[in-house]
Amino acid sequence: MAESTSNEYRPPSGHDEDFVEAVDKDFQCLICHLPLKEPVQTRCGHRYCKECLDEHIKRQQSQGQSLTCPFDRQNLDKEDIFPDKATERKILSLAIRCPNVGCKWTGEVRLKEVSTHTKNECRLTMISCPYVQMGCQAKVQRQGAESHLELATRLHLDLVCIKLNNTKVLLDKTRDELKNAMELLKSSSVQHTNAFLWRIDGFSEILKQAKNEGKERIYSDPFYTKTETDGFGYKLRVFIYPNGIGNGKNTHMSVFITIMKGEYDAILPWHFNKKVKLTLIDQDDDPEERENETKEVEGRNIPSFSRPTTEENTGIGFDCFVSHEKLKSQHYIVDDTLFLQVEIRSPPY
């Protein structure tokens, strides 16, 4: 066994404590030469950190060697190795000091306070400026942080302005990208059909609101017309005045078709010259008894059928499409739902 001597130990780079008291050499690991951590002792009387000796054992086993003491090479069994609690208690009772030069703080190893002191309390610890996220790269002692903030006020204000401006640019870019994505999603979900069917649920409440609350009209989803070979076409939508408008006010449901600004307008012929057939479907159980209400609008050279210069043209249709009395007398409304169909036909009709 090595002769017991006394020398002061200073931990290598990466340790955040320093021992105030000299660490007896008997309390140092014979492998890493640092103060013992979870010390174990062999039958031959040598002390090691548990982790250091475990690594030594694994290395010997991987090489197919017999287990031996790293210090004197005596053969060992695992039963020859045992925890050295007495030595551990002595090491844990040693005093340590803050590693910051000039700090007089001390404490016991067992209390494990040094990291908390160094990180959160010591006035000599180097810390980043509170404006580090704004871009200030200064590192100062904790005790000098207030002085740094006072001296660098202008710098910090400039950094904050730059950060805010960059954040605004990023938010604007993100908003634009999101808007484009939403427009693309919306566009991709629009139907391409020449036979659009609009289901209107909760019609009694819709009519009530039109009469009492001034919600005069409601719109269908937009849809695109198409040909047999092409997916593109004119963008249209239907809208109704449940309580009527113009000559149909308070007595009829008014129905209109409108041409909207679409993504294919530049390659389409103008004016819109197709026939639009608007049909309110009778939902009688017997198809032979059904009396659909149908009216037609024929495309011609008028502003409502020209290429849109705004989001949509003025609608064209019928103030007196169907009377409220007829709506109730037939099976147009079933389960508080009605169906309005739009058919598009190209000339010759």
Side-chain angles (χ1 to χ4, degrees):
M1 184 172 179
E3 180 183 358
S4 175
T5 61
S6 176
N7 67 327
E8 185 171 351
Y9 165 72
R10 179 176 294 274
S13 175
H15 288 246
D16 63 354
E17 68 270 352
D18 202 355
F19 282 83
V20 175
E21 303 174 50
V23 179
D24 193 290
K25 195 168 184 179
D26 280 349
F27 297 157
Q28 296 179 31
C29 175
L30 292 172
I31 293 177
C32 70
H33 305 293
L34 299 175
L36 290 160
K37 182 177 181 181
E38 297 183 75
V40 294
Q41 189 173 9
T42 62
R43 174 177 51 80
C44 51
H46 300 117
R47 297 185 179 95
Y48 305 94
C49 298
K50 181 180 184 300
E51 185 177 351
C52 293
L53 189 58
D54 286 346
E55 288 298 320
H56 168 75
I57 293 172
K58 289 180 184 178
R59 186 164 53 252
Q60 287 194 318
Q61 289 176 337
S62 67
Q63 296 173 357
Q65 300 174 354
S66 299
L67 177 58
T68 61
C69 174
F71 188 76
D72 61 14
R73 303 301 177 187
Q74 289 190 34
N75 289 330
L76 296 173
D77 291 324
K78 288 192 176 180
E79 292 75 13
D80 297 329
I81 303 169
F82 53 89
D84 192 343
K85 293 297 183 181
T87 298
E88 185 175 27
R89 284 194 295 271
K90 291 178 182 179
I91 293 173
L92 291 177
S93 67
L94 294 174
I96 53 176
R97 60 173 170 253
C98 175
N100 292 325
V101 177
C103 181
K104 300 185 181 300
W105 181 92
T106 60
E108 285 190 0
V109 176
R110 73 172 73 249
L111 300 179
K112 300 180 180 179
E113 293 175 336
V114 67
S115 60
T116 299
H117 163 78
T118 304
K119 181 179 179 181
N120 301 323
E121 301 170 2
C122 183
R123 293 176 58 78
L124 300 180
T125 296
M126 297 298 293
I127 62 172
S128 296
C129 171
Y131 285 83
V132 62
Q133 293 186 344
M134 297 296 112
C136 182
Q137 301 299 315
K139 289 185 178 295
V140 297
Q141 289 183 329
R142 183 175 278 113
Q143 66 183 1
E146 186 174 344
S147 177
H148 166 71
L149 291 175
E150 292 178 356
L151 293 173
T153 300
R154 178 59 183 270
L155 170 64
H156 293 155
L157 287 175
D158 290 344
L159 290 173
V160 169
C161 289
I162 293 172
K163 186 74 171 181
L164 288 175
N165 184 65
N166 291 340
T167 301
K168 182 179 182 302
V169 171
L170 180 61
L171 286 175
D172 288 345
K173 181 181 178 182
T174 303
R175 181 187 60 197
D176 291 341
E177 290 175 349
L178 181 60
K179 181 180 179 181
N180 292 337
M182 292 297 292
E183 288 294 331
L184 181 62
L185 180 62
K186 184 178 179 180
S187 175
S188 65
S189 65
V190 175
Q191 293 186 52
H192 289 71
T193 180
N194 287 331
F196 175 76
L197 183 64
W198 183 18
R199 172 179 173 144
I200 306 173
D201 294 313
F203 185 75
S204 59
E205 180 63 25
I206 291 172
L207 180 59
K208 177 182 176 182
Q209 291 182 5
K211 289 181 177 181
N212 301 329
E213 301 177 22
K215 188 176 181 180
E216 292 188 331
R217 58 183 169 178
I218 61 171
Y219 291 91
S220 74
D221 291 331
F223 67 95
Y224 281 100
T225 65
K226 68 173 185 178
T227 66
E228 293 181 359
T229 57
D230 298 317
F232 61 87
Y234 300 92
K235 187 177 182 180
L236 311 175
R237 70 173 173 178
V238 194
F239 61 93
I240 66 171
Y241 289 82
N243 195 39
I245 192 174
N247 294 331
K249 186 69 173 178
N250 297 322
T251 59
H252 288 71
M253 182 177 80
S254 307
V255 179
F256 296 86
I257 186 82
T258 183
I259 298 179
M260 306 180 69
K261 184 180 289 187
E263 57 183 308
Y264 311 111
D265 290 355
I267 59 174
L268 293 172
W270 296 97
H271 62 283
F272 177 84
N273 66 346
K274 301 180 183 299
K275 181 177 285 187
V276 181
K277 182 180 179 181
L278 301 168
T279 302
L280 181 62
I281 297 177
D282 188 334
Q283 301 176 57
D284 194 293
D285 291 337
D286 184 356
E288 298 296 328
E289 296 296 323
R290 292 178 182 173
E291 297 182 11
N292 294 338
E293 186 72 24
T294 299
K295 290 183 172 55
E296 294 184 347
V297 176
E298 187 173 323
R300 55 190 186 276
N301 191 12
I302 59 175
S304 291
F305 292 123
S306 62
R307 180 175 176 177
T309 57
T310 58
E311 285 303 307
E312 64 182 344
N313 290 343
T314 301
I316 189 168
F318 305 92
D319 291 354
C320 300
F321 185 84
V322 63
S323 69
H324 291 163
E325 182 180 355
K326 190 171 184 179
L327 272 176
K328 297 175 183 178
S329 64
Q330 299 295 121
H331 292 87
Y332 297 120
I333 304 173
V334 176
D335 296 331
D336 208 20
T337 298
L338 59 80
F339 290 90
L340 186 64
Q341 186 176 52
V342 183
E343 296 178 82
I344 308 298
R345 295 174 54 198
S346 298
Y349 309 127

